[in-house]
Amino acid sequence: MATVNFLYRSTKNSGDLTLRLLFRKFGDDIIIGANSRITIEKVFWKKQLNQKNLKDINHINDQTKYKKIINDLSVHILNQLKKTDLNIVNKEWLQHHIDIFYNPEELQPKVPVFLTDYFDYYIELLITNRNTKKKLVTTRNKLTIYEKKTKIKLAIEELNNFKLHTFKQYLTDLKYNQNTIIGDLTNIKTICRHAKTALNVNEEIFNWSLKK
């Protein structure tokens, strides 16, 4: 189960809290940290933040303010993590979604609605690993050729199991092996899972067996 906590690491009397995300991936414990952009005084962090029965009205107000933003930011990050392929979760991903929390409209441009366009959007936004990028580009290129052949532009919101099966059969006819095809369809599911944050994606495609 993923968790979020906050640390005060500044050597100064006031500083930004570090947000630390902890989750498990393939049985391994992963810890990633980034700047939460929550600025707080060191004394308040250590003494007043969790103190009960505060008397000073200013401390009470500050305690309420900080607890709310810490909780809201934690919920935001955990919700984004649920929608994301864990293979791409890194420090850059975490900082990006922290920034989105504060500036949602500015940092979330209108997303592409077509599958091949979303591949490019996803790669530019999140992918830094060369091998992962290469695999995604390979799948995108196959889709581009498929669309030209069929004269059909695949829209993410219109994807369903029938269209996935048709693309799978197309790859099978081209003599791609089973593992390669499964890899391509897995990449498509990863893209669609990320697109769920902004588009209405047909849930049935996530339950479709890649091996049938």
Side-chain angles (χ1 to χ4, degrees):
M1 181 178 180
T3 59
V4 169
N5 57 40
F6 294 80
L7 305 173
Y8 188 97
R9 288 182 167 175
S10 175
T11 58
K12 300 179 180 179
N13 293 330
S14 178
D16 290 351
L17 295 177
T18 295
L19 184 152
R20 192 169 65 171
L21 173 64
L22 304 89
F23 62 96
R24 290 182 67 81
K25 182 175 74 174
F26 305 128
D28 295 327
D29 292 322
I30 308 297
I31 302 175
I32 301 171
N35 187 342
S36 73
R37 295 174 55 179
I38 299 173
T39 304
I40 192 171
E41 292 184 358
K42 186 175 184 178
V43 172
F44 191 89
W45 169 256
K46 288 188 171 183
K47 294 185 176 181
Q48 282 88 28
L49 182 63
N50 294 306
Q51 183 179 333
K52 296 182 179 179
N53 302 319
L54 288 171
K55 304 298 183 183
D56 188 302
I57 187 63
N58 292 324
H59 286 167
I60 293 173
N61 290 337
D62 285 343
Q63 185 186 71
T64 301
K65 176 186 71 175
Y66 281 118
K67 283 193 172 184
K68 183 179 188 308
I69 194 170
I70 285 172
N71 178 73
D72 290 350
L73 179 54
S74 298
V75 170
H76 169 75
I77 293 301
L78 292 174
N79 284 340
Q80 294 304 313
L81 186 68
K82 291 177 183 178
K83 304 173 185 176
T84 305
D85 180 356
L86 296 183
N87 288 313
I88 67 166
V89 177
N90 54 24
K91 181 179 177 68
E92 290 73 23
W93 177 92
L94 181 57
Q95 192 65 62
H96 175 74
H97 284 287
I98 290 172
D99 293 340
I100 283 178
F101 174 76
Y102 294 102
N103 303 291
E105 294 184 359
E106 176 183 336
L107 293 174
Q108 285 189 304
K110 186 175 180 181
V111 302
V113 297
F114 293 107
L115 184 58
T116 51
D117 296 336
Y118 205 102
F119 264 85
D120 294 331
Y121 169 76
Y122 180 83
I123 291 168
E124 182 177 356
L125 182 66
L126 293 173
I127 303 304
T128 57
N129 181 275
R130 182 180 299 178
N131 289 332
T132 302
K133 180 177 181 180
K134 182 178 179 181
K135 292 176 182 178
L136 290 170
V137 168
T138 298
T139 300
R140 190 272 317 275
N141 289 343
K142 291 176 184 176
L143 284 165
T144 300
I145 295 172
Y146 173 76
E147 289 180 337
K148 288 180 179 178
K149 181 178 178 65
T150 59
K151 296 181 173 57
I152 297 174
K153 186 76 170 172
L154 295 172
I156 290 177
E157 293 187 340
E158 295 176 1
L159 277 182
N160 54 33
N161 287 351
F162 175 76
K163 290 184 178 180
L164 285 182
H165 180 76
T166 302
F167 180 63
K168 177 179 180 289
Q169 188 59 51
Y170 163 78
L171 296 178
T172 301
D173 292 342
L174 291 177
K175 307 302 181 184
Y176 284 104
N177 66 50
Q178 180 79 347
N179 289 337
T180 298
I181 294 173
I182 289 175
D184 288 323
L185 294 171
T186 299
N187 287 339
I188 292 173
K189 284 191 176 187
T190 296
I191 294 298
C192 291
R193 188 170 289 110
H194 185 270
K196 285 174 63 178
T197 60
L199 301 174
N200 293 319
V201 181
N202 192 338
E203 288 291 333
E204 75 172 23
I205 68 174
F206 301 114
N207 300 320
W208 184 67
S209 173
L210 300 174
K211 294 184 180 181
K212 67 182 182 180

